[in-house]
Amino acid sequence: MLRPVGNFNAALSSSLLTLRSWAGLACVLLLSGCATFAPNPPQDQSNICEIFREQPTWYDYARDSQEKWGTPIATQMAFIQQESSFKSHIRPDRKYYLGFIPGPRPSSAKGYAQAQDPVWGEYQEQAGSLFARRTSMKHATDFIGWYNHRSQQQAGISLTNPEHLYYAYHEGAGGYRRGTYQSKPQVINAARQIVARTNRYQSQLNACEAEFQCRRFYQVWPFCRS
């Protein structure tokens, strides 16, 4: 008469195992789905007008960040292009041992702005929300605006100086004040690329911005933002 109990336990264990398998599969599909439904990187990343034509809501997000924190739209987008090439889920490549054994990633950077875990946590507490995501362009542009505003306050960097804003973005305000970037040619080269890209983006935006300011049916000139 005890056998049915044993059969019941075996069936219960089998059911739990199946449930765990389905739960694991659901998690994998959910995570892959987030990446699947993320916008593709713009085809022409050299032209901010074409970027916003592909993703017009990105203009809205960058404009909101500019109005809130002061970093120009062109600078924000130049930062994001440099950091992630507009890839939403990008992370630093893992190190591999013996050519095939995956090791740890060199940092916790993630998403459009390549924000690392500690500073992203600060952003969530001080300016964002617990639901802010590094894979969201809305939150990435707001993060860059917030970070540059903090660099302005802590290190006295002008928000119209993309080169030095990037030094502080990469090294932190403390590292910037110590001049740690001066011994890092890659950081200096990246900052120079950002300056050139910011200038190009700003020149392009001057010619096409009106197209994004008044594109919605309820945005009627002269009441559009300008």
Side-chain angles (χ1 to χ4, degrees):
M1 298 297 294
L2 296 179
R3 289 180 181 176
V5 176
N7 293 338
F8 173 78
N9 289 337
L12 179 61
S13 298
S14 177
S15 297
L16 290 174
L17 181 60
T18 301
L19 182 61
R20 290 194 193 99
S21 299
W22 279 108
L25 179 60
C27 290
V28 170
L29 292 175
L30 179 63
L31 292 174
S32 62
C34 291
T36 300
F37 291 111
N40 291 325
Q43 294 183 353
D44 184 0
Q45 299 187 12
S46 66
N47 190 319
I48 197 171
C49 300
E50 294 303 321
I51 291 171
F52 288 149
R53 284 173 186 139
E54 284 192 41
Q55 300 294 338
T57 56
W58 289 5
Y59 171 82
D60 297 333
Y61 301 150
R63 182 61 184 265
D64 288 344
S65 177
Q66 175 182 271
E67 292 179 348
K68 183 177 179 181
W69 302 111
T71 295
I73 294 172
T75 301
Q76 295 175 50
M77 302 308 284
F79 269 48
I80 292 173
Q81 200 287 327
Q82 183 68 39
E83 292 297 286
S84 66
S85 297
F86 299 104
K87 297 175 183 177
S88 61
H89 287 69
I90 193 170
R91 301 182 67 181
D93 292 334
R94 292 182 181 275
K95 296 180 180 179
Y96 283 84
Y97 302 101
L98 301 178
F100 65 94
I101 302 174
R105 299 183 190 275
S107 79
S108 59
K110 180 182 178 181
Y112 286 118
Q114 287 296 280
Q116 298 191 43
D117 290 349
V119 71
W120 186 257
E122 292 179 39
Y123 164 70
Q124 288 180 308
E125 292 176 4
Q126 297 178 18
S129 74
L130 294 177
F131 300 103
R133 295 175 291 112
R134 283 172 279 186
T135 55
S136 162
M137 182 61 75
K138 179 178 181 178
H139 300 143
T141 51
D142 192 64
F143 170 80
I144 290 172
W146 167 81
Y147 195 99
N148 287 344
H149 178 72
R150 191 172 73 163
S151 296
Q152 181 190 46
Q153 292 183 319
Q154 295 180 349
I157 306 172
S158 170
L159 294 177
T160 59
N161 188 340
E163 179 181 6
H164 286 260
L165 285 173
Y166 185 75
Y167 292 147
Y169 189 80
H170 195 277
E171 302 294 298
Y176 173 79
R177 288 193 295 266
R178 294 192 301 273
T180 55
Y181 62 89
Q182 295 175 0
S183 61
K184 299 179 179 180
Q186 290 183 334
V187 176
I188 293 174
N189 183 57
R192 289 173 178 170
Q193 291 180 31
I194 281 179
V195 171
R197 189 175 298 112
T198 296
N199 291 337
R200 183 171 66 251
Y201 279 178
Q202 187 59 60
S203 177
Q204 294 164 345
L205 191 61
N206 290 341
C208 70
E209 187 169 13
E211 144 184 5
F212 307 106
Q213 291 172 332
C214 294
R215 74 178 193 280
R216 300 184 185 277
F217 72 92
Y218 56 82
Q219 295 173 318
V220 180
W221 187 90
F223 303 104
C224 299
R225 294 186 298 183
S226 60

